[in-house]
Amino acid sequence: MKSPSPNLVSEIPPPANRASLEVTIEKVTGHSFRRLQDTLAVEEPLEIQLAHGAIGARSVKSISVTMRTPGDDFNLAAGFLMTEGVVRDSNDIEQIVYAASSIGEAPRKNEETRSALPYQPGKNVVRVELAPDVVVSLANLERNFYTTSSCGICGKASLLALQTVCPPRRKNTLQIEADILTTLPDRMREAQSIFNQTGGIHGAGLFNAEGELLAVKEDVGRHNAVDKLLGAEFLADRTPLRHALLLLSGRASFELLQKALMGGVSMVACVGAPSSLAVQVAIDFDIILVGFLRDNHFNIYHGAKHILGRPAN
């Protein structure tokens, strides 16, 4: 396994930890009013810019603005590009920088915009520099080829699109004990430092079959938390994650199963409900899917034979 490429380090230091914010509130209990300090999860926009093309003819395009919790911005950008099928190998990315590192430069040829955001470019605009030989289909990006829940493209078209772009699948051999599975939400919760401060943030955790927590990321956006998690694994050249379980702190949607599929994850578990199309993705691509994972119970939507220790039917 190769080490992460050193050229992915930002040209300027990343912003200081801005994931939480102290505010003054009035706490009401019955007829009692108290002024206290409370901690909020920070929500700020992040613009992702893509720089691509041959040397001497580079183009820069703003491809996404997402509301996120600051932190792990480079992982988020890399995870977004990987799960959208823009990049397939960590070597496709030459470097990731905060846009302030290039502010003040002469405009590049074919550069459409400096930033779609009017403030804090050094903290909220990330630029991903692709290798010169990486071909980018901007048409796919502009029409959101793999679809979102609001795009209006039917489920059948969404599944067909995934079949054409997902990494090669192998037989799913992951197995996990039911007793281990039920302990995972508490293990992830204990590792969610921002949630423990604020109570208002989503988590995405990566576990192995022994229940060991490999990594956890947090964000106000469910999709961003998963992108941060998968992006970190992608940049470290640990994808596809065939021997890993992805745990979601909320529900499982089509988009989150899509991201799991693109990351090569073998199992997705969520503490909430899966959508119908999420279940269909799990069935079509043989991803073990568990929902309502709370306390000592859960529902298996696909892959029951992979969950060990269940009573015989």
Side-chain angles (χ1 to χ4, degrees):
M1 181 180 297
K2 66 183 181 182
S3 300
S5 175
N7 62 355
L8 298 179
V9 178
S10 172
E11 296 174 5
I12 62 172
N17 181 15
R18 298 180 292 118
S20 60
L21 176 69
E22 294 290 327
V23 296
T24 301
I25 64 167
E26 293 279 346
K27 186 175 181 66
V28 180
T29 305
H31 296 287
S32 171
F33 289 71
R34 290 183 296 158
R35 178 166 290 187
L36 301 173
Q37 291 296 112
D38 194 20
T39 305
L40 304 179
V42 172
E43 181 178 31
E44 290 184 359
L46 178 72
E47 177 183 347
I48 300 174
Q49 297 180 348
L50 192 65
H52 62 97
I55 296 175
R58 302 283 281 175
S59 296
V60 177
K61 183 177 180 62
S62 177
I63 60 170
S64 176
V65 176
T66 184
M67 300 304 296
R68 96 320 186 178
T69 301
D72 290 303
D73 291 337
F74 292 177
N75 292 331
L76 193 163
F80 173 80
L81 293 177
M82 184 269 285
T83 58
E84 291 296 323
V86 178
V87 294
R88 295 180 175 274
D89 189 279
S90 58
N91 290 322
D92 291 345
I93 299 175
E94 281 200 337
Q95 65 175 353
I96 306 175
V97 299
Y98 285 99
S101 64
S102 58
I103 289 176
E105 296 177 358
R108 302 183 184 199
K109 183 180 179 181
N110 299 326
E111 185 162 353
E112 292 187 4
T113 178
R114 301 305 294 178
S115 171
L117 299 179
Y119 67 100
Q120 292 187 311
K123 299 178 179 180
N124 289 328
V125 183
V126 164
R127 179 170 297 176
V128 182
E129 298 271 355
L130 298 186
D133 59 344
V134 176
V135 178
V136 176
S137 173
L138 293 179
N140 283 357
L141 281 173
E142 288 170 354
R143 69 173 181 261
N144 197 5
F145 186 66
Y146 316 117
T147 87
T148 68
S149 58
S150 62
C151 77
I153 298 177
C154 72
K156 182 177 180 181
S158 303
L159 293 169
L160 289 174
L162 281 181
Q163 290 172 2
T164 63
V165 299
C166 74
R169 298 289 291 176
R170 294 183 182 176
K171 182 179 179 181
N172 192 337
T173 60
L174 183 71
Q175 293 184 318
I176 187 169
E177 294 282 348
D179 288 345
I180 291 178
L181 187 58
T182 56
T183 67
L184 302 188
D186 286 343
R187 293 185 186 183
M188 186 171 77
R189 179 68 59 83
E190 291 171 0
Q192 288 186 249
S193 59
I194 306 175
F195 180 89
N196 292 332
Q197 296 176 47
T198 67
I201 200 163
H202 289 285
L206 201 66
F207 292 83
N208 61 21
E210 288 70 44
E212 178 187 3
L213 178 62
L214 305 177
V216 64
K217 299 294 182 184
E218 297 177 277
D219 199 277
V220 289
R222 296 177 302 127
H223 304 79
N224 294 337
V226 174
D227 279 341
K228 288 178 177 181
L229 183 68
L230 298 183
E233 299 301 304
F234 175 75
L235 291 177
D237 200 36
R238 289 193 288 262
T239 56
L241 298 161
R242 296 190 179 97
H243 304 293
L245 177 157
L246 173 64
L247 178 61
L248 308 173
S249 64
R251 64 185 183 88
S253 63
F254 166 80
E255 298 97 325
L256 297 179
L257 264 290
Q258 167 199 312
K259 292 179 183 298
L261 173 65
M262 296 299 286
V265 173
S266 293
M267 180 175 180
V268 175
C270 58
V271 300
S275 69
S276 62
L277 198 53
V279 173
Q280 194 61 53
V281 172
I283 293 171
D284 286 2
F285 296 94
D286 195 20
I287 299 173
I288 309 160
L289 180 58
V290 165
F292 294 104
L293 178 60
R294 305 169 188 170
D295 301 323
N296 66 341
H297 60 83
F298 54 89
N299 296 342
I300 305 173
Y301 294 88
H302 178 69
K305 65 181 180 181
H306 296 269
I307 311 298
L308 307 180
R310 300 177 297 113
N313 292 331

